[in-house]
Amino acid sequence: MKIVIDLTALSYHMTGIERFALCVTQEMLRQDDTNDYILVFRDTIYKDLKDHIDEKRIRARIIHGNNKLLFFQMILPFELYRIKADVFLFFAFPSPLLFRGKRIYNTIHDMGRWDKPVGEKPIAIFYFKTSEKNGILVSEKVFTVSCYSKKRIVDITGVPDDKVEVVYNGVTKKITDSAVLYEDVKKKYGLPERYILFLSTLQPRKNLALLLDAYSEIKEKVDYGLVLVGRNGWEVDDLLKKYSLDKDIIVTGYVSDEEIAKIYQNAKCFVFPTLYEGFGIPPVEALAMGCPVISSDSSCMKEILMEQAIYFEDNNKERLTDLLVNLETFVDKMPRELNDFQKVNFDYRESARKVLKTLENG
């Protein structure tokens, strides 16, 4: 069987969906020594996949293009039609609107544009909804990253339940195997001695405003700072201007996986006030690195974190503020690891095994 995997999204920022595409692909290539693969990249081969490509059983196809929309909806499908293959996998974004084939497998990470389209322009919401609905329509099977997202896909689109398969996200080895020294990371980013942590792309859907409001109200009453890790998303600059970013509130920007491992390990607690997720990788990573978690109870979070976190009601600032100001009274008793189910299933080796099994079953 010849399998094509679209990895063109790896040429942009590394968010949760790109990480899923990268890590599932890596594990498929490690586990499968039978099928042939063509990995499709934009402009250059992604660095973490170079060692897998032998140009015999595993080949690379590089496609060039500048404009993101034009590339994905026009150039990419034209080039895909030129590849003769049995299976086409799209792990990040759904397949291009103009691409059709017998065995297309798309991944829909969440239905946020239907349920909670926070901060996006109407034209962008329309584009993504159209793309996702088309992706579901043309797919042999649809992969998604939680039971919550599967239910929303079925409820919203009416697709048969057995057409959607859950393949969870996981924790990368770069985080769990990090050999970076914490003192070097602390000095590089100016981290305070004690801090709580937030990590994600800084955008409205992550509800950073709620955390900043809550922490600003209590920071004079506690002895820890707030560290915000992640690339700036839309509207975040205007948000951050409202707060005093001093020694108490540190914004690091992008941090490598190896460095974030040490930031997780030395945080007092990880706080995840998100409004909506398909899975929610950061709090799972935090637990894997021994960092306790406080999370909103929105969307899939209780399914994913189970009994391993303390929750506050979605968007409830009063409850979050109370948890933060009284953190010392319960943080030592909070879970600091993944449970047995999470350790087995939130692993990209298991995710790849599920994808390969699905392909084998046709």
Side-chain angles (χ1 to χ4, degrees):
M1 184 162 55
K2 184 179 288 186
I3 301 170
V4 172
I5 305 180
D6 170 41
L7 296 165
T8 57
L10 299 184
S11 63
Y12 304 104
H13 294 318
M14 181 64 70
T15 67
I17 62 173
E18 289 86 9
R19 188 180 300 279
F20 179 88
L22 170 63
C23 294
V24 173
T25 298
Q26 286 178 312
E27 292 300 335
M28 287 178 67
L29 299 180
R30 291 184 181 118
Q31 294 178 29
D32 181 10
D33 58 5
T34 303
N35 295 303
D36 294 332
Y37 287 86
I38 298 176
L39 309 182
V40 181
F41 301 95
R42 175 179 171 267
D43 291 340
T44 187
I45 297 172
Y46 190 76
K47 62 183 187 304
D48 290 352
L49 289 165
K50 285 183 178 179
D51 291 343
H52 292 280
I53 296 168
D54 57 17
E55 291 303 339
K56 295 177 182 178
R57 191 176 65 85
I58 303 172
R59 301 174 182 269
R61 176 70 66 91
I62 299 173
I63 303 173
H64 298 283
N66 293 320
N67 181 279
K68 189 174 181 179
L69 180 61
L70 178 63
F71 173 83
F72 194 74
Q73 295 298 346
M74 299 295 291
I75 297 173
L76 179 59
F78 174 78
E79 294 294 336
L80 290 176
Y81 277 123
R82 298 174 63 185
I83 302 174
K84 303 303 180 184
D86 303 298
V87 169
F88 292 84
L89 293 176
F90 297 85
F91 285 140
F93 298 104
S95 55
L97 296 171
L98 298 179
F99 184 65
R100 295 290 188 271
K102 289 185 177 180
R103 293 192 67 187
I104 295 173
Y105 293 79
N106 276 304
T107 306
I108 308 296
H109 290 261
D110 63 64
M111 297 300 279
R113 273 91 187 191
W114 276 266
D115 290 334
K116 198 154 291 192
V118 180
E120 291 188 89
K121 295 179 180 179
I123 187 65
I125 295 171
F126 174 78
Y127 169 78
F128 283 112
K129 280 186 173 182
T130 302
S131 178
E132 288 161 1
K133 288 178 72 173
N134 176 76
I136 293 167
L137 176 67
V138 304
S139 292
E140 182 93 2
K141 293 276 188 179
V142 177
F143 297 121
T144 193
V145 293
S146 65
C147 294
Y148 176 86
S149 285
K150 174 177 179 174
K151 184 177 186 305
R152 296 306 298 139
I153 290 170
V154 171
D155 289 348
I156 290 169
T157 69
V159 64
D161 183 88
D162 61 1
K163 189 176 180 177
V164 185
E165 297 201 11
V166 175
V167 178
Y168 291 115
N169 278 291
V171 180
T172 69
K173 291 184 178 296
K174 282 188 175 181
I175 288 178
T176 56
D177 298 345
S178 172
V180 172
L181 296 176
Y182 175 64
E183 288 305 317
D184 293 339
V185 176
K186 180 181 177 184
K187 181 178 180 181
K188 179 178 178 179
Y189 295 105
L191 303 179
E193 289 296 324
R194 293 159 59 82
Y195 58 89
I196 59 172
L197 175 64
F198 169 89
L199 182 151
S200 185
T201 300
L202 307 183
Q203 56 169 277
R205 196 171 85 172
K206 305 304 180 181
N207 212 11
L208 178 57
L210 182 76
L211 176 56
L212 285 167
D213 282 345
Y215 178 74
S216 295
E217 285 188 11
I218 58 96
K219 68 177 184 177
E220 301 302 328
K221 303 175 184 178
V222 298
D223 65 348
Y224 57 80
L226 170 62
V227 174
L228 310 177
V229 177
R231 288 190 176 93
N232 285 7
W234 63 85
E235 297 183 5
V236 72
D237 290 335
D238 291 339
L239 172 63
L240 293 177
K241 287 177 183 177
K242 298 178 182 179
Y243 301 91
S244 175
L245 303 183
D246 51 24
K247 62 181 178 62
D248 296 315
I249 303 177
I250 304 296
V251 181
T252 67
Y254 170 77
V255 172
S256 70
D257 287 343
E258 294 87 350
E259 292 172 325
I260 193 57
K262 302 306 177 184
I263 298 178
Y264 278 134
Q265 286 177 330
N266 288 276
K268 188 176 183 65
C269 185
F270 184 86
V271 184
F272 202 56
T274 185
L275 292 171
Y276 192 90
E277 298 291 327
F279 181 88
I281 297 174
V284 172
E285 290 178 340
L287 283 168
M289 299 309 297
C291 179
V293 172
I294 294 174
S295 174
S296 74
D297 64 358
S298 70
S299 56
C300 69
M301 296 319 303
K302 285 193 170 182
E303 172 197 343
I304 299 303
L305 298 178
M306 304 179 184
E307 301 300 320
Q308 302 306 103
I310 288 180
Y311 299 94
F312 63 93
E313 297 78 10
D314 186 16
N315 221 23
N316 187 331
K317 188 179 77 170
E318 182 178 351
R319 173 60 175 159
L320 175 57
T321 302
D322 182 64
L323 288 172
L324 294 182
V325 79
N326 293 296
L327 189 58
E328 295 288 355
T329 63
F330 55 81
V331 69
D332 290 339
K333 299 177 182 178
M334 292 172 65
R336 291 175 178 268
E337 63 179 351
L338 299 172
N339 64 26
D340 291 342
F341 175 89
Q342 293 165 328
K343 289 176 182 177
V344 171
N345 290 278
F346 299 169
D347 185 317
Y348 287 114
R349 292 171 296 184
E350 176 66 10
S351 303
R353 188 193 67 77
K354 287 182 178 179
V355 171
L356 287 168
K357 184 177 179 180
T358 298
L359 300 185
E360 290 167 6
N361 292 338

